[in-house]
Amino acid sequence: MIGLIGAMAEEITLFRENLDEIEMKTIARMTYRRGMLKGQEVVLLQSGIGKVNATIGTQVMIDHFDIDQIIFTGLAGGLVPNLSQGDMVVANTVTQYDFDLTAFGRRHGELPDIGRTLEADPRLVKLACFAYDDSYKSVPNAPKLLVGSIVSGDRFVSDPRKIEWLQREFGAVATEMEGAAVGYTCFVNDVPFVIIRSISDSADSGAADEFDSFLVRASENSFKMVSSILEVMTYRQEAGEMA
Ligand code: ADE
């Protein structure tokens, strides 16, 4: 079964509206909806904002459902000039940029025994790229897709100095508040994961206003991309069954 997680209600509205719900369970104040979406059995969760919420939601989902992969989706602040509002980012690596043991000589974001970055599942990253090509191939002015490093921290970034630091220190292309926590929880449970984000703002001084005004549009792009991934999974399974 596929776990689908988003932080805010607006980020998962379209998923909820399109889900054929079979079962609903509330655990630790979070509601898990099992059902069918685009031919796939999924569990959908709104985790709430931030790394702690994302960690709890991911672990409880893995413990209570038969999860074999997790897709986290939602919005992110773009950190590179070639990303505009609505463009898509698929994380090939994630880092908790605010994990700080520099006092002990470690690098920013470095976890003992783990390192700085965790890799998203290469098969899911590839599938996301394929699904993007499939859904946007004949769409004029389609959003761009970038595969790159996403950094997560418990802070909404709206500061040009922070952007420069995140680029320089981590080579990051986008920042958000959950992806690396989901990645870590998946890593310790041996569950493949991918993070798919739509750019809502430039993480600059106007980021909060940009975020608010683009929340719904950017969430539509995330939904389109994740739906396309599920559709590709479904038609590949059907083609496999027919072969
Ligand atoms: N999610 C969307 N935009 C963001 C930003 N600028 N900082 C952190 N999380 C975000």
Side-chain angles (χ1 to χ4, degrees), residues 44-137:
L44 177 64
L45 168 68
Q46 182 207 335
S47 64
I49 298 168
K51 291 190 286 139
V52 173
N53 277 326
T55 304
I56 294 169
T58 305
Q59 187 64 54
V60 169
M61 183 182 267
I62 292 168
D63 288 344
H64 287 80
F65 298 89
D66 188 15
I67 297 295
D68 42 44
Q69 47 204 326
I70 286 185
I71 301 174
F72 190 100
T73 192
L75 277 46
L79 299 174
V80 288
N82 58 337
L83 278 177
S84 314
Q85 278 184 320
D87 287 341
M88 304 298 304
V89 174
V90 175
N92 54 5
T93 65
V94 290
T95 299
Q96 297 182 55
Y97 72 79
D98 57 352
F99 193 93
D100 188 345
L101 290 178
T102 54
F104 297 92
R106 294 184 186 272
R107 300 180 72 193
H108 284 281
E110 183 185 339
L111 278 76
D113 302 326
I114 303 279
R116 270 185 130 191
T117 58
L118 287 171
E119 270 193 38
D121 181 53
R123 190 189 55 88
L124 283 172
V125 171
K126 207 167 149 195
L127 184 61
C129 295
F130 181 88
Y132 167 86
D133 288 342
D134 204 46
S135 55
Y136 285 110
K137 58 179 172 260

Side-chain angles (χ1 to χ4, degrees), residues 8 11 49 74-79 97 151-159 163 166 174-178 197-204 207-208 210-211:
M8 294 172 64
E11 289 170 305
I49 298 168
L75 277 46
L79 299 174
Y97 72 79
V151 287
S152 313
D154 285 315
R155 167 198 290 257
F156 185 88
V157 177
S158 56
D159 175 355
I163 300 175
L166 292 171
T175 187
E176 36 83 311
M177 301 178 69
E178 296 86 17
R197 294 284 188 174
S198 175
I199 299 300
S200 53
D201 58 84
S202 57
D204 218 326
E210 289 173 23
F211 179 92

Side-chain angles (χ1 to χ4, degrees), residues 201-220:
D201 58 84
S202 57
D204 218 326
S205 51
D209 289 341
E210 289 173 23
F211 179 92
D212 283 340
S213 60
F214 213 66
L215 177 57
V216 172
R217 270 286 309 285
S219 300
E220 284 167 8

